[in-house]
Amino acid sequence: MSKLTGSRKATQFTESVIREMTRLNEMYGGVNLSQGFPDFPAPAVIKEAACAAINADVNQYAVTWGARPLREAVAREFSRRYGVRVVADEQVTVCCGSTEAMMSTMLAIIDPGDEVVIFEPFYENYGPDAILSGATPRYVTLREPGWTFDPDELAAAFNEKTKAIIINTPNNPTGKVFSREELETIAALCRKWDAIAISDEIYEHIIYDGQLHVPIATIEGMSDRTVTINGLSKTYSVTGWRVGWTISPPSLTGAIRKVHDFLTVGAPAPLQEAGAVALAIPDDYYRKLAADYQRRRDVLLEILERHHFTVYKPLGAYYIMTDIGTFGFADDVEFARYLVKDIGVAAVPGSSFYKNSANGRTKLRFCFCKRDETLQDADQRLEKLVPVGVHLH
Ligand SMILES: Cc1ncc(COP(=O)(O)O)c(C=O)c1O
């Protein structure tokens, strides 16, 4: 057999469906409500800080585990908000986005045969992250409409091989915000089985209806077995900057930093300087961010309901999961392709968030991190969409 093929690892997962939808959308000139990046400007103060850093010739490698001002800011803000002491030198590692933070963490802690518990529907990177790091994923399903999990099903997913559980709250794609009680249940299992919680909290500040974000690191006994992952992308609308970080217990930091160093050396140095400025923005910014997104959420919820989607109201993050059963398509991928080609709106097929694609066959995810004009444009295009039965007359 020819050796001019991809590795076994690389053939175990497919290309990102989200990026495929973005490409199709560009081809057909539609409205992109698939990939979660904002189409509005980032705060001026952080753009100015980035320009200032480049003009000041912050152009060479930063310290591999992250420029001190950003690491200190990450530690300071987490301690201030949640009352858990974080020591920048021992616990914070800056990476190229939370994507690399997750990958470096997984590669740093997983041995072949280790199991990792993943809630589904999941952010689509977690599957490939598990495969690339050699982990065996164990999936536990979050069930609509509340996206709750069955504590017995979760307990059954843990065993002596369980190395870690991945949590994402506020959650992509469901908009679920894990409650303290749910996190207590997860934490008890982590303590029982000596497992690590890897908590992707990238939507920390994008949270609605008075919900509170609870980092699992704040639950009793969890700060020394939790890796918290976060970044600038969503909070400051700079998904292209590629700055994220881990907050890890000192016992894991060395391994994460080594892997990170050999994967990417470091995140963009001038943008790390701007990151430190971003984290010092007064709290009003975060309140406004959440209020603006809540308004956008309500706008898109109304649009989608009017166009016959069944919607699951998100309590955080900037996505709406929908059910598309009323449109009579064979599956979600066929519907998503139809929607982008014939209607002109790109969304993500639900199956890309499930291990067993049948579970996502009638689902579709829209994002609302978009300007009002963009959402209105989508609204107009969706006028052409008709549920089964209606267009027969
Ligand atoms: C849950 C989740 N984690 C991580 C990321 C990627 O973040 P970053 O830009 O920091 O790599 C995303 C982006 O959509 C996400 O939804």
Side-chain angles (χ1 to χ4, degrees):
M1 203 180 107
S2 168
K3 290 181 186 157
L4 304 180
T5 58
S7 69
R8 225 169 291 147
K9 273 180 179 164
T11 49
Q12 279 176 57
F13 53 89
T14 51
E15 187 205 24
S16 159
V17 183
I18 299 181
R19 283 180 269 284
E20 182 202 331
M21 282 300 146
T22 294
R23 272 202 308 279
L24 275 181
N25 187 65
E26 271 159 25
M27 203 187 311
Y28 293 101
V31 180
N32 189 358
L33 300 187
S34 63
Q35 205 175 354
F37 58 82
D39 66 350
F40 44 81
V45 59
I46 74 167
K47 291 190 287 190
E48 282 153 18
C51 294
I54 291 177
N55 285 327
D57 272 317
V58 183
N59 295 319
Q60 311 309 327
Y61 303 122
V63 180
T64 170
W65 47 80
R68 176 166 298 281
L70 178 55
R71 274 186 299 122
E72 297 282 1
V74 167
R76 181 194 71 226
E77 287 305 297
F78 198 84
S79 305
R80 180 175 75 86
R81 274 181 214 292
Y82 304 114
V84 173
R85 187 163 169 267
V86 175
V87 180
D89 272 343
E90 293 168 15
Q91 296 184 261
V92 179
T93 306
V94 178
C95 296
C96 293
S98 64
T99 300
E100 194 239 316
M102 178 63 76
M103 193 72 244
S104 290
T105 302
M106 298 276 281
L107 289 171
I109 66 169
I110 299 296
D111 279 320
D114 285 348
E115 294 187 3
V116 172
V117 178
I118 300 175
F119 288 106
E120 68 168 2
F122 46 76
Y123 171 54
E124 65 164 1
N125 282 31
Y126 302 155
D129 285 345
I131 292 164
L132 289 171
S133 62
T136 306
R138 295 282 301 252
Y139 295 97
V140 174
T141 305
L142 300 171
R143 293 203 167 75
E144 66 272 26
W147 305 105
T148 45
F149 59 85
D150 174 354
D152 294 334
E153 193 185 332
L154 182 66
F158 277 74
N159 59 58
E160 59 288 336
K161 290 196 204 136
T162 308
K163 184 71 190 245
I165 177 168
I166 300 179
I167 301 150
N168 171 218
T169 184
N171 184 260
N172 173 10
T174 64
K176 175 187 176 66
V177 174
F178 282 72
S179 68
R180 179 173 292 279
E181 197 191 349
E182 288 174 318
L183 294 169
E184 299 270 7
T185 303
I186 297 167
L189 288 165
C190 289
R191 291 191 301 260
K192 175 174 174 189
W193 296 104
D194 191 23
I196 297 165
I198 307 174
S199 188
D200 179 342
E201 300 179 10
I202 187 125
Y203 298 102
E204 171 187 12
H205 296 289
I206 302 178
I207 190 160
Y208 315 122
D209 302 339
Q211 295 284 314
L212 275 188
H213 171 66
V214 181
I216 194 164
T218 64
I219 306 272
E220 202 198 327
M222 290 305 289
S223 64
D224 53 3
R225 56 172 67 254
T226 300
V227 180
T228 305
I229 290 179
N230 210 326
L232 299 181
S233 285
K234 312 289 176 176
T235 306
Y236 304 102
S237 309
V238 287
T239 58
W241 281 20
R242 315 310 305 131
V243 178
W245 54 82
T246 57
I247 302 175
S248 51
S251 60
L252 298 178
T253 302
I256 293 171
R257 285 183 176 173
K258 271 192 288 183
V259 173
H260 154 71
D261 188 5
F262 289 109
L263 272 182
T264 63
V265 179
L271 304 183
Q272 293 193 49
E273 298 297 321
V277 172
L279 284 158
I281 295 178
D283 279 343
D284 255 7
Y285 170 80
Y286 305 99
R287 281 191 280 274
K288 184 165 181 314
L289 181 80
D292 284 349
Y293 273 125
Q294 184 167 321
R295 192 186 53 75
R296 289 190 180 99
R297 174 198 66 172
D298 293 343
V299 167
L300 187 60
L301 277 174
E302 190 278 323
I303 292 172
L304 292 173
E305 274 189 302
R306 188 157 33 77
H307 293 295
H308 310 287
F309 290 86
T310 302
V311 296
Y312 302 108
K313 187 177 187 173
L315 297 175
Y318 47 48
Y319 307 94
I320 299 176
M321 264 295 233
T322 65
D323 193 283
I324 52 170
T326 48
F327 297 108
F329 277 75
D331 66 33
D332 57 318
V333 176
E334 189 184 304
F335 183 72
R337 293 212 172 107
Y338 165 77
L339 203 67
V340 67
K341 284 186 194 164
D342 290 44
I343 304 289
V345 176
V348 184
S351 55
S352 47
F353 305 108
Y354 287 89
K355 166 69 178 153
N356 176 1
S357 53
N359 291 337
R361 206 175 47 82
T362 65
K363 297 190 177 80
L364 198 71
R365 189 202 74 178
F366 292 86
C367 71
F368 54 85
C369 45
K370 304 292 170 189
R371 286 174 293 135
D372 288 354
E373 305 87 276
T374 311
L375 297 178
Q376 277 154 19
D377 192 359
D379 186 7
Q380 276 162 18
R381 290 166 189 251
L382 287 168
E383 288 294 338
K384 280 196 287 174
L385 187 62
V386 204
V388 179
V390 174
H391 50 329
L392 298 178
H393 313 287

